[in-house]
Amino acid sequence: MQTLLLASLLGCLAAVSAAPATNVRWCVTSAKELEKCAALAAAAPVFSCVRKTSALTCIEAIKADQADAVTLDGGDIYIAGLNNNGLQPIIAEDYGISASDTCYYGVAVVKKGTTFGLRDLQGTKSCHTGLNKSAGWNIPIGTLVSMGLIQWEGIEDEAVVKAVGKYFSASCVPGATRGSNLCQLCRGDCSKSHTEPYYDYSGAFQCLKDGAGDVAFVKHLTVPESEKANYELLCKDNTRAPIDDYEKCHLARAPAHAVVSRKDQQLAGLIWNSLTSVQGFDLFSSEAYAPGKNLMFKDSTVKLVQLPPNTDSFLYLGAGYTSIIRSLKKEPTGTQSTAIKWCAVGHAETVKCDTWNGNSGDADPQVECETAPTVEECLKKIMRKEADAMAVDGGQVYTAGKCGLVPAMVEQYDADQCGIPGAKASSYYAVAVVKKSSGLTWKTLKGKRSCHTGVGRTAGWNVPMGQIHKETNDCDFTKFFISGCAPGSDPTSPFCTQCVGSGKTADDSKCKASAEENYYGYNGALRCLVEDSGDVAFIKHSTILDNTAGKRRTRTGPHLNCECVILYKTITFLLLFFVKVNNDEYQLICPGKSPVPVTDYLSCHLAAVPAHAVVTRPDSRNEVVRILMEQQAAFGATVSDAAFSLFKSEAGKNLLFKDSTKCLQVVEAGTSYESFLGPEYMNVMSSLRECTETTPGLEKSCSFHSCQETN
């Protein structure tokens, strides 16, 4: 009987969990907002309304599955995305200033006729949209702190609100502690909701208009057209400008307000479809609910834009805006490590990084290790300051650049160029290799099987697929190749069918973009061809030359009549395949030419591409360069008796750095990813990026904003 009851209960629970949501519960924070929401629900019954007291309580309600959606500003999006809340932005407001403008300017507005500048605000009275809100708090206070105008040493000294309270003589900051100096100018209860008349953009502007405050921190669209002549903007150079000159005179740009929900793609789809199918109701007008303004959505919104899937709060807000928020949450720094955190992809790289860490400093290691399953996840860690640097190929430099990271050092493969100031940076050639016996040419590739180093990588994907796209103008590459191995592809894609994983029992690494997949990387793609899992391998020119039988014997000891060597590392068996080839059995193919020997890559290649580079955040660039220069002096290619070698991989191939690296060279400070990659490669990427379905998800999220700013 108990078994029957348990089975019934589990069946009910499964039915409940499997049932898709059919109703969107919108969270509102005021009587007027509830009135508008009720009118929306009458026009579109898929909506219902849940009233809470503030944005924070709405976040809590959505987390607890008591509501489904709310529109928040950047500061609250940051809070919603913290691990303890776990919400994500799914839809952005678009203000339509340009073709697509999902951002706005944070500005400081004052009455015309007053004479003070931004640097003269101490002792004045201030009006804010709300505590922790973007234009009204995070941007202005972060700016004043970073400019040294508000003296604040961090939370170990005092709370930032206390420092602000000392700086302004009086303020209205809805959401601040009632009875404090920051609530002195407010007309209502100083709550972060529409029950406070001076809350939000219109409220902060009304605070200034009423003469309660001397300056209002709002967004650039706040001042009504009919009143612009009476007000001015404060610029960071201490000058003033007309209200409409916000593009030149602003404190910072911020991501637009966004609809936030739980991490549930099915629910996100329901919310999007429900909002975009509303008929006979103006989502972006609060006129019928006066004196309420910006109810549910900002009145200045022109349309809504669906965000790329899996966009989290950090990716939406961007590194620049997030750094502003973090500047207002200073943590004690006395116990923080001075080491740089290197990001390793997969187990084999982590093993090498741990060895590096153990040798990188006598008392205090200069290098610490972070790990992630993919390069994309590593780049996210660097953006979030959970890691500091890693070496990536050109395609990944492109994605990293779109996300605000910069190239700091570049691998040099010519020992004669090491140590020479201004030496020419290394490059290599992307080539297509086939078996001579196949009789394949570039013209006859269609319908064959392909071997790639990884999706998004330069020689293995971007260059050949960019070339194919130019010729076919078709982004569906499965129409060109019938199958293949392109690690990082969707597991159900034909580009995963030829992948083999690690060869271990219960293997889950098949087609993963890491060294755990035996067909990953240059050697992996070549091995895919050698083992007849593909008809063409897209690799760099030196890969096949590095894998001749003679050279490989010098790396692995006595010649073995097999293509593998088994190494025992601690308690783990690592199966390493060393590809052994005969140059005469392979050849290069390229557009407009007959096949040529593999040594003739200068005359037959798909593109010359830049060397791999170390990427990091702009603020970490100098420290990363300093430590890497010290580390290669101790463990570089010219150091023969070191306990660790930076550019050798004992447990794999090309781990952390390419094994052919002779040294790391400094990339001049201020070099952008575009100038580093060069016009030829940027043109290839521009063509390939027309195929949005092959654009990495991280790059889509980073490229979403026209206003994405980096730190």
Side-chain angles (χ1 to χ4, degrees):
M1 183 67 178
Q2 288 180 332
T3 303
L4 181 61
L5 288 172
L6 179 59
S8 300
L9 177 60
L10 291 174
C12 291
L13 290 174
V16 170
S17 62
T22 57
N23 177 261
V24 177
R25 299 165 294 177
W26 204 273
C27 196
V28 299
T29 60
S30 70
K32 286 295 180 181
E33 202 164 46
L34 180 61
E35 186 180 338
K36 179 177 179 179
C37 182
L40 170 62
V46 68
F47 291 99
S48 61
C49 310
V50 176
R51 183 175 177 181
K52 295 295 178 180
T53 58
S54 65
L56 183 58
T57 53
C58 275
I59 291 170
E60 293 170 349
I62 296 171
K63 175 186 175 184
D65 196 13
Q66 298 169 356
D68 298 313
V70 67
T71 306
L72 301 176
D73 102 313
D76 291 324
I77 291 171
Y78 178 86
I79 294 170
L82 295 175
N83 288 336
N84 60 322
N85 292 318
L87 307 186
Q88 69 176 118
I90 59 172
I91 301 167
E93 294 180 342
D94 189 319
Y95 306 120
I97 298 170
S98 58
S100 179
D101 209 341
T102 52
C103 56
Y104 59 90
Y105 296 88
V107 296
V109 178
V110 294
K111 288 182 176 178
K112 189 177 288 186
T114 54
T115 58
F116 55 87
L118 188 68
R119 295 181 177 275
D120 310 312
L121 289 180
Q122 187 167 6
T124 62
K125 296 176 290 183
S126 59
C127 306
H128 306 255
T129 61
L131 186 66
N132 295 325
K133 291 181 75 68
S134 296
W137 182 265
N138 293 336
I139 287 175
I141 303 307
T143 299
L144 294 173
V145 168
S146 65
M147 292 175 68
L149 300 176
I150 293 180
Q151 300 298 317
W152 183 58
E153 299 301 323
I155 59 174
E156 70 272 25
D157 181 38
E158 63 178 349
V160 67
V161 290
K162 289 188 176 181
V164 175
K166 294 176 182 176
Y167 185 77
F168 294 109
S169 62
S171 303
C172 178
V173 185
T177 303
R178 295 175 189 175
S180 71
N181 191 47
L182 298 183
C183 284
Q184 185 176 334
L185 301 182
C186 293
R187 281 177 48 193
D189 58 4
C190 196
S191 66
K192 195 176 173 182
S193 72
H194 290 282
T195 59
E196 166 52 58
Y198 287 166
Y199 170 67
D200 208 0
Y201 300 115
S202 57
F205 176 65
Q206 192 65 44
C207 169
L208 172 66
K209 185 177 178 180
D210 290 347
D214 303 309
V215 58
F217 298 111
V218 292
K219 70 172 182 175
H220 66 288
L221 297 173
T222 302
V223 180
E225 187 69 34
S226 61
E227 301 184 55
K228 287 181 179 179
N230 301 322
Y231 296 90
E232 292 178 312
L233 301 177
L234 299 184
C235 310
K236 287 197 283 188
D237 63 0
N238 217 42
T239 63
R240 292 190 175 203
I243 293 295
D244 285 334
D245 282 0
Y246 53 81
E247 289 189 6
K248 295 181 180 178
C249 179
H250 60 268
L251 305 182
R253 297 189 80 181
H257 292 209
V259 177
V260 170
S261 186
R262 293 182 297 282
K263 293 181 179 179
D264 181 336
Q265 290 303 309
Q266 192 173 48
L267 177 59
L270 174 65
I271 295 169
W272 169 254
N273 291 332
S274 300
L275 287 170
T276 54
S277 61
V278 170
Q279 299 291 325
F281 185 87
D282 191 346
L283 290 171
F284 314 130
S285 174
S286 304
E287 189 175 350
Y289 315 98
K293 292 184 179 181
N294 301 315
L295 304 176
M296 298 184 67
F297 299 95
K298 296 305 158 196
D299 297 338
S300 55
T301 304
V302 173
K303 63 180 179 179
L304 299 176
V305 181
Q306 191 172 25
L307 299 179
N310 302 317
T311 299
D312 61 21
S313 60
F314 177 85
L315 293 177
Y316 179 72
L317 296 173
Y321 181 75
T322 303
S323 69
I324 289 175
I325 296 178
R326 285 176 173 160
S327 73
L328 301 178
K329 301 178 183 293
K330 291 181 182 176
E331 299 290 343
T333 57
T335 60
Q336 290 184 349
S337 170
T338 57
I340 61 169
K341 291 184 178 180
W342 199 266
C343 197
V345 178
H347 175 76
E349 285 204 342
T350 301
V351 170
K352 180 177 179 179
C353 190
D354 288 341
T355 305
W356 185 11
N357 164 258
N359 288 277
S360 67
D362 294 332
D364 298 311
Q366 293 297 292
V367 176
E368 296 176 353
C369 301
E370 286 288 329
T371 187
T374 65
V375 171
E376 197 166 297
E377 291 300 317
C378 265
L379 294 178
K380 288 181 183 179
K381 281 180 174 282
I382 296 171
M383 292 163 64
R384 291 188 174 97
K385 298 190 177 182
E386 297 169 4
D388 296 310
M390 71 181 306
V392 296
D393 98 321
Q396 293 153 344
V397 170
Y398 184 90
T399 296
K402 289 289 186 180
C403 293
L405 305 184
V406 296
M409 301 193 80
V410 60
E411 294 177 348
Q412 174 59 257
Y413 310 126
D414 183 352
D416 293 338
Q417 299 298 313
C418 292
I420 301 177
K424 182 180 179 181
S426 282
S427 62
Y428 58 92
Y429 296 93
V431 297
V433 182
V434 298
K435 290 181 179 178
K436 187 180 291 185
S437 59
S438 70
L440 283 176
T441 67
W442 186 265
K443 285 185 177 181
T444 60
L445 266 187
K446 188 173 183 180
K448 300 301 187 290
R449 302 165 301 159
S450 55
C451 302
H452 306 262
T453 59
V455 173
R457 295 193 59 171
T458 299
W461 184 269
N462 294 341
V463 170
M465 297 318 217
Q467 178 66 37
I468 290 170
H469 177 257
K470 283 183 180 179
E471 295 176 7
T472 65
N473 201 32
D474 191 339
C475 291
D476 186 356
F477 298 121
T478 62
K479 293 179 182 177
F480 194 89
F481 293 114
I482 58 170
S483 65
C485 180
S489 297
D490 186 291
T492 62
S493 166
F495 286 108
C496 280
T497 56
Q498 300 298 325
C499 295
V500 294
S502 68
K504 299 175 184 176
T505 304
D507 188 17
D508 64 350
S509 58
K510 181 176 179 178
C511 205
K512 285 192 174 179
S514 77
E516 308 305 309
E517 163 59 60
N518 283 331
Y519 286 174
Y520 175 70
Y522 299 114
N523 275 54
L526 178 58
R527 183 186 167 203
C528 168
L529 174 66
V530 170
E531 296 188 344
D532 200 32
S533 293
D535 302 305
V536 59
F538 298 112
I539 52 180
K540 66 178 175 126
H541 72 280
S542 59
T543 303
I544 192 165
L545 301 176
D546 288 343
N547 281 278
T548 60
K551 181 164 186 176
R552 183 54 61 196
R553 279 199 300 273
T554 65
R555 299 291 295 273
T556 64
H559 175 62
L560 300 175
N561 293 320
C562 65
E563 294 179 358
C564 64
V565 175
I566 299 177
L567 298 179
Y568 183 79
K569 296 283 291 183
T570 60
I571 62 171
T572 304
F573 285 95
L574 298 176
L575 191 59
L576 303 174
F577 293 86
F578 295 103
V579 182
K580 182 182 60 177
V581 300
N582 184 333
N583 284 352
D584 294 337
E585 297 176 1
Y586 298 86
Q587 54 191 7
L588 306 181
I589 59 174
C590 54
K593 288 197 68 172
S594 299
V596 302
V598 295
T599 54
D600 200 8
Y601 54 84
L602 290 177
S603 70
C604 183
H605 57 265
L606 304 182
V609 296
H612 290 205
V614 175
V615 294
T616 186
R617 299 178 304 279
D619 62 290
S620 300
R621 183 258 177 203
N622 292 344
E623 190 66 5
V624 167
V625 169
R626 181 187 69 79
I627 289 179
L628 284 180
M629 291 294 286
E630 292 178 359
Q631 292 298 297
Q632 77 170 352
F635 308 117
T638 59
V639 184
S640 58
D641 58 347
F644 168 76
S645 182
L646 206 55
F647 309 129
K648 290 182 182 179
S649 303
E650 299 297 333
K653 192 77 170 72
N654 299 317
L655 302 177
L656 304 183
F657 302 95
K658 282 170 62 178
D659 295 341
S660 56
T661 303
K662 304 305 179 186
C663 66
L664 297 174
Q665 292 180 311
V666 177
V667 175
E668 185 177 355
T671 301
S672 67
Y673 75 97
E674 295 101 330
S675 59
F676 173 80
L677 294 174
E680 183 181 23
Y681 190 73
M682 288 299 295
N683 288 337
V684 169
M685 293 304 296
S686 296
S687 176
L688 188 62
R689 285 305 182 256
E690 292 179 24
C691 304
T692 56
E693 63 272 20
T694 64
T695 302
L698 174 61
E699 189 178 316
K700 287 181 180 178
S701 296
C702 290
S703 305
F704 178 78
H705 286 304
S706 60
C707 62
Q708 187 80 302
E709 292 186 297
T710 57
N711 55 342

